[in-house]
Amino acid sequence: MSQWKQIQQLEIRLLEHVDYLYDDNFPMDIRQGLASWIESQDWDTAATDESMAAVMFSNLLTQLDRVRLDEQNFLQRHNMKIIQQQLQVKYTTNPAVMAKVISTCLREERRILSSACMQEQGPLEKSLQSSVAFERQKNMDNRVGIIRGSVQLMDQAVKYIEDMQDDFDFRYKTLQSRDSTDRNSDMMKQEVTRLQEMLNRLDFKRKEILSKMDVVVKEIDDLMTSQLSPELQDWKRRQQIAAIGGPLLTGLEQLQGWFTLTAQSLFQIKRQLDKLGELVVKVTYECDPIPLQKPQLEERVKYLLYHLIKSSFVVEKQPCMPTHPQKPLIIKTGVQFTTKVRLLVKLPEVDYQLKVKTTFDKDLPPGRVRQFFILTNNTKVMDIEDYSNGCLSVEFRHLQLKEKKYINGTKGNEGLLSVTEELHSLSFEACFTVQGLTIDLETCSLPLVVISNVSQLPGGWASVMWYNLLTDEPRNLAFFGNPPRATWSQLSEVLSWQFSTFAGQGLNKDQLSMLGEKLLGQHASCSDYQVSWSKFSKENIPGKPFSFWMWLDSILELIKKHLLPVWNENYIMGFVSKETERTLLKDREPGTFLLRFSESHLGGITFTWVEHKDNGEVKFNSVEPYTKNRLSALPFADIIRDYKVISDGVVPENPLKFLYPDIPKDEAFGRLYNCQPSKVHPYIPSHLIPISVHPDASSSPLSCRSPEPPMTPGEFNMLNEHLCFDLDTMSSPYSD
C-alpha cells in the first residue's frame, strides 16, 4: 500500500497534522494526483544536488501535464493548470528548494504514520500537539485582532480631534480678527461661550484619546509579555525538537503575523502621537493633557517597538551542512554549511541596507582551547522574499570554518571534553534605524558541534540530541561539563524519531522495550529511570568494544543504505536478544526464521532459523552477520531467497521456509526480490549465491562455529552439480 493511501486511512486527529504540511509551496492536489510517482523519487538527494533537482522538477511538470490532460473535471483541470504555473514561477530558478519541501513533507508523513502505529504518543510530541496549544493560539489571534481594531478606531478619533481643532482654530482666529469695538456685543459674547464649549470638548477628546492610547499600549505590553514572548519561546523549543527528528516545525508564518500586526499597531500609535504633537503646536492651553502625557507614552511605545523588533530577529534555519540535511548543528571544518535568519516584523521603512554580520564563537566559555574562524564572506544584506509576506531575511549558503593555528604552528589541543562535547555558537548582528528609532539586532544559533573528520559524526549527533532533548537554553556552551540525565521515556521517544527520520519508520513499543533492556537491563520496565550521558554515548556495552549509541547509529546507517525495503515492511524484529530469539523460535515450524541486528558487530544483521531433529532436539542456527560490505554486493532480500547450506552427502538447500511467526518466505519477500535478468549477451546469466558450509557431526553446533575455510573440491563439485548457475561467493556460519 502506498504511503499516501496509508495517510488517508488515519484518524481525523492525525489527518489534521497532515493538513499542516501542505500549502502553496507544495499543494495537496499535487500530492494526491502524483502520489505513486512522488514516492518513487529520491527527493532527499535532489535537495542537495541542483542538477538532479532541475531534472526532477522538469519531470514533475511533465507528470502534471499528463494528469491535467487526463482529468475529466473542467474545474480540476483549471486548478491544476494554475498550480503548475505557480510552481514554475516559484521553483524554476531554484528547483532544489522544491525538492527540499517535498522531502520534508514525505519524511513528516512517515513520522505521522509511525506515531499512529504506537499505542500512544511520547511525552514530548504530546506536549507539542496538545489542544491547549491550539486554544492558546486561537486566543492570540483574537487578541491581536482586537488591538488592531482599537488602534484603527483611534485613528478615526485623532482625525475627529483634528477636524474639531481646525474648526475651533478657524472660529478663534475669526473672532480675533474682529474690531475691538464689537467684542462687548452680545453676539461676540455668544461666540466666546461657544468657543469655550468647543475648547472644553476638545480638551475632553484629547484626554479621552490619550486615555485610550494608554489602555491600548498597556494591552500591547501585556500581550508581548504574557503571550507573544512565550509563543516565540515555544516556537524556538519546537525548532529544537524538530532539529533532532521531532514533529515538523510549523507556526513561523503565524508568529510572523502576530509580530507584524503588533508592530504595525505600535507604529500607528507612534504616528498618532506625532499627529497630536502637531496639533499642540497650533492649539494649546493651560493644563493641556498632550504635553503632559505624550512624552511618557512615546517612550513606552519606543521601548515596546525596540524590544519587539529586537526579539523578532530569529534563526529560521539552524546551521547545517547540505551533505547531511537531517543532521543539523554539526559542522565539519572545510565543508560549506548554510543558515538563515529572518526578521519577523514587516518594517515600514529602513534608512539603509540592513547588513547582517556573522561571528563564530563570540563568547567562549573559560578554558576552551579549540577556536575557529569563518573562512568565507561573513556579511550579507537582508532582502525581502516573496513568500515571506514582505519580511526581511538573509540566507548564508557558503559559510566555512577553519581552526585557528597558534604561534608554534599547531592547532588547539583538546581539553577535558571530547571534540563532540565541545559546544560552539554562530552569532548574527545587525543595526538599523526605522522612523527615528535605532535598533541593534543580535541572535545566535543553537549550540553547534564542530568536527574535523566524518568519523566524529555519530558522536556529534549524540551531543546534539542530548542537548536539545534536555534543555531549552539557547546558548549553554558549558552544558557537557555536567550533563543532566534523561528519563528512558524521553530518550526512547527521540530514538524512535531517529528511525522515522533516517529509516522511514519509527520503533514500535516492543522494539523500544528491547532497546530498553539492552541499555538498562533490569530497569528497562521503568519509564522514569534516569539514563546518564556517559552510559548512553561514552561507556562501552559490557563485553563489547563500542557504546550503546555507536551500536544503534551503525544500525541506522545499515537500514538507510541497505535494508529500507525490508525494514519498512516490518520484517526485521530488530533488537531481540539471543535468549528471547530462541524462546520465540523453539515451538515454531522447522525452517522458521527471524531477522535481528547483530549484538556483537557494528552495523550487522543476521537471521536465525530453527530445526527439529528426529530425536526431538531443537537446534538453532545463526548465520554470520551481514554488514554493509557484503550487502553492497547483494540485496538482503536476494540473500534470503538464494541462501544455501551445504554439507557432505546432502543436496544444497535453503533452510529458510517461514518468516516468524508463520509467513511463507516468498510471500513475505517476493516483491522485494531483484528479478531483473542480465541484458549482456551472449553470456549465460550469473548471480551471487550466499552459502554456509554445514559443520560435520563431530563439530560444535552451527550457531557457534567460527567461519569455515573454503570448500573442498568435492564439496564444490557436488554443489555445482545441483545448481544451474555460477558460484561467485560463499559465507560461513558464525556465532553472533
Side-chain angles (χ1 to χ4, degrees), residues 63 65 219 297 358 532 680 703:
Q63 292 290 327
D65 266 333
E219 178 70 8
L297 273 172
T358 62
S532 70
V680 180
S703 61

Side-chain angles (χ1 to χ4, degrees), residues 320-324 330-339 376 396-401:
C320 181
M321 296 185 292
T323 52
H324 295 82
I330 301 177
I331 307 301
K332 182 179 179 295
T333 52
V335 174
Q336 290 185 352
F337 64 95
T338 65
T339 185
T376 46
F396 294 86
R397 294 186 178 181
H398 306 290
L399 295 176
Q400 237 181 95
L401 289 183

Side-chain angles (χ1 to χ4, degrees), residues 432-479:
F432 69 100
T433 301
V434 56
Q435 292 194 1
L437 186 64
T438 300
I439 301 175
D440 295 310
L441 299 176
E442 182 175 0
T443 190
C444 67
S445 70
L446 289 168
L448 307 170
V449 173
V450 180
I451 61 175
S452 55
N453 192 292
V454 290
S455 64
Q456 298 166 331
L457 193 63
W461 186 240
S463 296
V464 170
M465 286 193 299
W466 203 263
Y467 182 95
N468 290 288
L469 169 64
L470 296 176
T471 181
D472 58 2
E473 294 181 77
R475 203 174 182 176
N476 183 2
L477 303 186
F479 177 83

